[in-house]
């Protein structure tokens, strides 16, 4: 029997419903005298039977849950979320907080659900009247009959999770999971780096690097490559002026931060360089030149720093040369701090 290895996993399920239903399916089957509607026709019956906006608070919580899980680990298709064993307590606290928020949002939704359904029907009625539609009430009865009941809604909107726990895998199984997790984790941090690239503030982009470093450090017990990337991210962040206001960062630091995010966002290049044990980030190398906006000649005055040298007109020897008076309008001050 090969040696077994441990890893820590958990599963989280946040269940919502779709506001779209197949409205009037039974009636259509009766009219056509068929038992089943062909799959190619089912989309024709799809209709938003409730206002989707009432689900937005729950959908936002579901998104926050996923963002939390991505900070602590990476999802493996067979096992669920593989997480950092040293941060299990913090992860559980976050999951419990999200669950409390979910239950409160669900309670708020249920309290106004009947009124929301009625308002949705009324909005459809007004839209049909404006279109001059005939048999509006027949149409609305079909929609009303397709709206989920409160009991169904209560049973479907669920937040469930299993506590993080250690499981053991045989060595061959572990190697399969290990390789799959590496590729998935690289994809996760690439997406996070791409998100951070859109941020204007240096502090926001540094925060993304901190999250990536913590995620990789937490997975290092599974694969040494995670730890190698985490150490290099940590070293780079340590060299950045993270305590300075954003407007006081020097160009070299800005370029190093930009280059690091560019490296992390490029999955194939990142994998290749880490496997070749290359330096990923440095304050001197791997920077990306910023793309400067093209100046508008019509809006930008041309300052001739080195005007063409022209011969001075000849001055009679009997008269000494008198220096030309310089007007203040002829003096250009170049503010290098704005470059």
């Amino acid at each position: 029997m090969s040696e077994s290895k441990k890893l820590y996993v958990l599963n989280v399920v946040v269940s919502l419903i779709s506001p779209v239903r197949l409205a009037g399916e039974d009636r259509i089957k009766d009219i056509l005298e068929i038992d089943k509607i062909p799959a190619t026709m089912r989309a024709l019956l799809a209709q938003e039977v409730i206002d989707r906006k009432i689900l937005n608070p729950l959908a936002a919580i579901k998104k926050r849950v996923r963002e939390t899980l991505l900070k602590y680990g990476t999802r493996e298709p067979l096992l669920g979320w593989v997480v950092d064993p040293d941060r299990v307590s913090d992860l559980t606290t976050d999951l419990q907080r999200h669950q409390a928020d979910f239950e409160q949002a669900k309670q708020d939704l249920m309290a106004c659900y009947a009124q929301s359904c009625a308002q949705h029907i009324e909005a459809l009625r007004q839209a049909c009247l404006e279109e001059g539609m005939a048999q509006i009430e027949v149409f609305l009865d079909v929609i009303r009959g397709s709206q989920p009941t409160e009991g169904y809604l209560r049973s479907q909107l669920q937040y469930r999770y299993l506590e993080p726990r250690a499981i053991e895998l045989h060595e061959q199984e572990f190697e399969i999971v290990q390789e799959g997790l590496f590729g998935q984790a690289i994809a996760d941090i690439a997406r996070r780096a791409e998100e951070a690239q859109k941020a204007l503030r240096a502090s926001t982009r540094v925060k993304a690097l901190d999250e990536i470093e913590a995620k990789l450090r937490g997975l290092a017990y599974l694969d040494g490559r995670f730890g190698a990337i985490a150490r290099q991210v940590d070293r780079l962040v340590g060299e950045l002026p993270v305590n300075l206001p954003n407007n006081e960062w020097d160009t070299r630091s800005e370029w190093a931060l930009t280059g690091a995010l560019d490296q992390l966002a490029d999955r194939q290049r990142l994998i290749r360089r880490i496997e070749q044990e290359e330096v990923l980030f440095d304050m001197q190398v791997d920077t990306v030149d910023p793309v400067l906006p093209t100046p508008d000649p019509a809006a930008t005055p041309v300052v001739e720093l080195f005007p063409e040298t022209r011969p001075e007109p000849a001055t009679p020897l009997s008269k000494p040369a008198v220096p030309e008076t310089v007007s203040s309008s002829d003096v250009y001050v170049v503010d290098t701090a704005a470059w």
Side-chain angles (χ1 to χ4, degrees):
M1 183 74 67
S2 59
E3 181 184 357
S4 61
K5 295 189 176 183
K6 289 184 179 181
L7 66 166
Y8 286 74
V9 301
L10 83 153
N11 275 284
V12 182
V13 176
V14 182
S15 301
L16 304 181
I17 67 166
S18 170
V20 176
R21 289 288 184 274
L22 293 178
E25 182 178 2
D26 291 338
R27 182 170 297 184
I28 295 296
K29 288 191 292 188
D30 290 342
I31 293 173
L32 298 178
E33 297 182 350
I34 58 177
D35 296 328
K36 182 180 179 180
I37 295 178
T40 55
M41 294 181 58
R42 291 175 69 85
L44 299 176
L45 305 176
Q47 171 66 36
E48 192 169 295
V49 297
I50 61 174
D51 186 354
R52 67 173 58 247
K53 290 194 296 291
I54 65 174
L55 298 172
N56 287 347
L58 294 172
I61 295 171
K62 182 173 184 177
K63 181 181 178 182
R64 291 202 297 271
V65 170
R66 175 172 173 78
E67 290 171 348
T68 297
L69 291 168
L70 284 170
K71 292 179 183 178
Y72 288 92
T74 287
R75 192 176 187 281
E76 205 286 323
L78 294 175
L79 302 174
W81 289 89
V82 180
V83 298
D84 179 357
D86 295 330
R87 303 171 71 196
V88 164
S89 177
D90 293 338
L91 172 56
T92 302
T93 299
D94 286 346
L95 292 177
Q96 290 172 345
R97 186 182 74 254
H98 292 319
Q99 185 175 38
D101 293 342
F102 185 92
E103 294 302 329
Q104 182 61 56
K106 177 179 175 179
Q107 183 177 336
D108 295 342
L109 184 154
M110 299 306 303
C112 67
Y113 180 62
Q115 180 182 2
S116 176
C117 287
Q119 291 174 342
H120 184 70
I121 294 296
E122 185 58 30
L124 289 176
R125 176 182 284 109
Q126 295 301 319
C128 291
L129 287 171
E130 292 175 4
E131 292 285 340
M133 178 181 174
Q135 297 183 326
I136 295 177
E137 293 306 319
V138 174
F139 169 73
L140 294 179
D141 283 343
V142 172
I143 301 300
R144 189 181 292 108
S146 301
Q147 289 179 323
T149 64
E150 291 188 12
Y152 176 83
L153 201 64
R154 200 180 300 276
S155 67
Q156 293 300 307
L157 301 178
Q158 296 289 334
Y159 182 114
R160 303 182 299 273
Y161 70 93
L162 298 178
E163 295 282 350
R165 65 196 63 198
I167 66 169
E168 292 190 3
L169 297 178
H170 294 305
E171 188 170 1
Q172 291 181 339
E173 296 173 329
F174 183 85
E175 290 175 356
I176 294 173
V177 170
Q178 182 185 51
E179 197 56 36
L181 277 174
F182 181 72
Q184 184 58 54
I186 292 297
D188 291 344
I189 66 175
R191 282 192 292 269
R192 185 68 183 94
E194 289 170 359
E195 292 174 1
Q197 286 175 322
K198 302 173 186 177
L200 299 178
R201 297 176 63 85
S203 57
T204 303
R205 286 175 279 156
V206 170
K207 179 182 178 182
L209 287 181
D210 288 337
E211 292 176 1
I212 289 171
E213 188 271 335
K215 175 189 178 79
L216 293 169
R217 187 178 66 249
L219 294 174
Y221 74 102
L222 299 172
D223 192 321
R225 291 174 292 183
F226 292 138
I229 303 174
R231 287 189 295 273
Q232 295 202 48
V233 173
D234 182 62
R235 188 181 69 245
L236 174 72
V237 172
E239 297 179 5
L240 296 175
V242 294
N243 295 323
L244 291 180
N246 292 269
N247 61 353
E248 294 183 14
W249 277 51
D250 59 274
T251 303
R252 184 176 68 115
S253 298
E254 281 278 5
W255 287 6
L257 177 56
T258 300
L261 291 172
D262 179 71
Q263 171 68 85
L264 291 170
D266 189 335
R267 305 179 194 182
Q268 297 304 319
R269 184 167 61 137
L270 179 60
I271 292 174
R272 182 179 67 253
R273 296 188 66 178
I274 198 64
E275 289 182 345
Q276 293 176 356
E277 299 183 353
E278 296 181 12
V279 174
L280 300 179
F281 325 110
D282 193 85
M283 294 293 287
Q284 301 294 339
V285 298
D286 257 6
T287 57
V288 177
D289 293 338
V291 179
L292 300 177
T294 303
D296 182 358
T300 305
V302 177
V303 180
E304 192 175 358
L305 296 179
F306 299 99
E308 181 182 0
T309 303
R310 298 180 176 86
E312 294 293 334
T315 303
L317 296 176
S318 59
K319 295 182 180 180
V322 179
E324 182 181 358
T325 302
V326 180
S327 170
S328 61
S329 62
D330 296 327
V331 178
Y332 294 90
V333 178
V334 180
D335 183 6
T336 58
W339 289 7

